[in-house]
Amino acid sequence: MNLQLTGHHIEITPAIRDYVVAKLDRISRHFERVIEATVVLSVDKLQHGAEGTLHVRGKDLHAQCIDADLYAAIDALADKLDRQVVKYKEQLKDHRTDPDVARAAMETSSEGASQADNVPPLQDTARK
């Protein structure tokens, strides 16, 4: 996972960078196919903000958190992105067919084929 970490009105120290990397590591544990992560940390008077975007295949996951403490904002951002990644991963799993559903579909299609055998062939009604 590529990580782009930028600061808006704040200098990114090695301690902040390590903290963000440690928090985003949890996301990569749940879903290893994250292509890129972009995190923007900002300070506006007494409010610290953290905004993050994860690029995964077919979708961009975005979250934003504002808190009085920068580390609390980063924690909340990681929690929100983690929930979105887990939900995205579950959506990917739901697209696979359940064996019981596939079996029921096969039974339905075989019944339809037996009914189609009883239909007489079409006759050509074109004028000669």
Side-chain angles (χ1 to χ4, degrees), residues 15-57:
I16 292 174
R17 177 175 294 280
D18 292 341
Y19 191 76
V20 170
V21 168
K23 287 297 179 175
L24 292 181
D25 186 42
R26 183 177 65 179
I27 293 171
S28 64
R29 258 192 328 217
H30 284 144
F31 189 68
E32 64 273 355
R33 291 187 241 156
V34 176
I35 299 168
E36 182 181 16
T38 305
V39 178
V40 178
L41 304 176
S42 63
V43 175
D44 185 31
K45 295 188 181 180
L46 298 177
Q47 293 182 344
H48 293 84
E51 182 177 343
T53 304
L54 295 178
H55 299 284
V56 294
R57 184 175 175 191

Side-chain angles (χ1 to χ4, degrees), residues 98-111:
D98 190 355
D100 297 332
V101 174
R103 189 177 309 116
M106 290 299 289
E107 291 173 0
T108 311
S109 65
S110 65
E111 290 173 5

Side-chain angles (χ1 to χ4, degrees), residues 87-105:
K87 185 176 179 181
Y88 175 74
K89 188 175 176 182
E90 288 174 1
Q91 288 175 352
L92 289 178
K93 287 182 181 178
D94 287 342
H95 286 291
R96 296 182 181 162
T97 57
D98 190 355
D100 297 332
V101 174
R103 189 177 309 116

